[in-house]
Amino acid sequence: MDTKTQANANTDNTQTIKQPKKQGRTLVSILYVVLWAVLFTLKWCVPDDWGSLGFDVFFCVIAVIGAYEFLRAMGGTSYIQRAVTTAFCCIVVVLFVLTKELINQGYLTMICTLCVYEVILACISVFDHRNSPVKGLATCSLCMLYCGLLPTCLAAINHLAVNSMAAMLVLFLVAVLTDTFAYLIGTLLKRFIPLKLAPQLSPNKTVIGAVGGLVGGIIGALVAFVGIYYLGGLNGEVMGTTYAYNSVYLTFSSEAISPILVFALVGLVGAVLSIIGDLFESAIKRECGIKDMSHLLGGHGGVLDRVDGLLACGLVVLLAFGTIIS
């Protein structure tokens, strides 16, 4: 076989490999959207907050699998350190939801549980220092914050006293459309504006793609606003008539600022955090010398690769809907 024939054969093999990978990424994306649609339907249709449990289970799964991926990638921890850290990520979402619903002390429980597990890890580093170094303690502490508390913040959004459905819709649309618009705009315009966003962490990400992501985040928040307003209106009033399907409507008491503007700002800041969350994940992988956190989701990598932007975006959504939008 001559050189040209060999080159053509290699090209054909590369195209054959890339096609199934692209199809796998598309399938995972579709299933991800379908999963969220099912969880939204349960939250909307099942009364007495029981429908919210679907999202709680989902966030708990993210915490557990995320902890496994994170600790496996980072390394440098002992078996007992990994066991204690994973145990924290297993129970923190559950404890938050139970105490939030029963005695309205979810946040206090979350912080106290974190402190208890930090003390346990510190004791392990003291009495088993040879096998459980302090560097391992630092890794486990970061894991508990990243894979434990951030999913718990998503559960907190899911159990807001008011505007819970609106907040969850903003969370989903901002995270998804930020990622989608960043990819589309970056792919279309990077040849004209090739300036890299963070070349040392993610060579494929461009500044113009990030700008597209910001636009996508704003659009996502505004789409959520229009959707919730269509379902129930503002403070339960649509065209002067009190109406809300299954109590789904937007509660907004402030008269100093327009709710549309607030949603747009939440979308903008949420998009910024989503992009930073994605880059932070890239920094972890660069530090560990790996391409993906795992291969659980095929072309999308691991669970943390899929939800890194979502976890970061949840912070601004919880802050905004816990204070301004209420």
Side-chain angles (χ1 to χ4, degrees), residues 26-195:
T26 302
L27 178 60
V28 169
S29 297
I30 293 173
L31 292 177
Y32 183 71
V33 173
V34 169
L35 173 62
W36 274 84
V38 171
L39 295 177
F40 271 120
T41 302
L42 289 174
K43 182 176 176 62
W44 186 12
C45 297
V46 178
D48 299 328
D49 218 27
W50 287 101
S52 299
L53 294 180
F55 275 117
D56 294 332
V57 173
F58 177 52
F59 298 145
C60 189
V61 169
I62 288 176
V64 175
I65 298 179
Y68 168 78
E69 292 179 347
F70 185 92
L71 294 173
R72 177 175 172 270
M74 292 294 290
T77 55
S78 67
Y79 172 79
I80 189 169
Q81 285 177 322
R82 293 193 298 272
V84 170
T85 304
T86 305
F88 171 81
C89 293
C90 285
I91 69 170
V92 63
V93 174
V94 177
L95 288 178
F96 173 85
V97 172
L98 287 176
T99 53
K100 178 71 169 62
E101 292 298 308
L102 295 177
I103 58 175
N104 197 28
Q105 294 295 333
Y107 296 104
L108 178 61
T109 300
M110 177 177 66
I111 298 301
C112 289
T113 304
L114 175 64
C115 292
V116 168
Y117 273 83
E118 288 286 5
V119 170
I120 293 173
L121 285 172
C123 292
I124 292 171
S125 293
V126 169
F127 296 107
D128 187 32
H129 184 69
R130 177 177 297 179
N131 299 317
S132 305
V134 176
K135 289 184 178 179
L137 168 61
T139 299
C140 291
S141 298
L142 180 58
C143 180
M144 289 194 295
L145 292 174
Y146 186 43
C147 304
L149 292 196
L150 290 186
T152 307
C153 288
L154 302 187
I157 298 172
N158 188 36
H159 287 274
L160 287 170
V162 294
N163 294 327
S164 175
M165 180 66 81
M168 291 297 295
L169 193 58
V170 168
L171 173 68
F172 171 71
L173 289 178
V174 169
V176 169
L177 292 187
T178 296
D179 188 48
T180 302
F181 273 66
Y183 174 76
L184 293 177
I185 300 299
T187 301
L188 290 174
L189 300 180
K190 66 180 180 182
R191 68 180 66 180
F192 305 107
I193 309 176
L195 183 63

Side-chain angles (χ1 to χ4, degrees), residues 126-325:
V126 169
F127 296 107
D128 187 32
H129 184 69
R130 177 177 297 179
N131 299 317
S132 305
V134 176
K135 289 184 178 179
L137 168 61
T139 299
C140 291
S141 298
L142 180 58
C143 180
M144 289 194 295
L145 292 174
Y146 186 43
C147 304
L149 292 196
L150 290 186
T152 307
C153 288
L154 302 187
I157 298 172
N158 188 36
H159 287 274
L160 287 170
V162 294
N163 294 327
S164 175
M165 180 66 81
M168 291 297 295
L169 193 58
V170 168
L171 173 68
F172 171 71
L173 289 178
V174 169
V176 169
L177 292 187
T178 296
D179 188 48
T180 302
F181 273 66
Y183 174 76
L184 293 177
I185 300 299
T187 301
L188 290 174
L189 300 180
K190 66 180 180 182
R191 68 180 66 180
F192 305 107
I193 309 176
L195 183 63
K196 301 295 184 180
L197 181 63
Q200 293 183 345
L201 297 180
S202 186
N204 293 326
K205 289 183 172 59
T206 60
V207 172
I208 190 63
V211 172
L214 299 182
V215 173
I218 295 173
I219 291 175
L222 294 179
V223 169
F225 174 81
V226 172
I228 292 297
Y229 187 84
Y230 176 79
L231 290 175
L234 185 62
N235 298 323
E237 294 186 0
V238 179
M239 298 178 65
T241 303
T242 301
Y243 165 80
Y245 185 83
N246 204 10
S247 299
V248 175
Y249 57 87
L250 178 65
T251 298
F252 190 83
S253 57
S254 176
E255 298 179 357
I257 187 171
S258 167
I260 299 178
L261 178 58
V262 174
F263 269 70
L265 290 174
V266 171
L268 176 62
V269 180
V272 171
L273 288 183
S274 182
I275 293 171
I276 292 175
D278 192 7
L279 291 175
F280 176 70
E281 185 81 12
S282 297
I284 293 174
K285 290 184 287 187
R286 178 71 64 178
E287 187 75 19
C288 298
I290 58 177
K291 185 174 185 288
D292 297 313
M293 295 301 285
S294 74
H295 301 289
L296 182 63
L297 300 180
H300 279 278
V303 168
L304 288 180
D305 294 303
R306 176 72 264 183
V307 302
D308 47 11
L310 183 79
L311 293 175
C313 182
L315 293 174
V316 67
V317 173
L318 178 60
L319 179 63
F321 279 85
T323 56
I324 303 174
I325 309 175

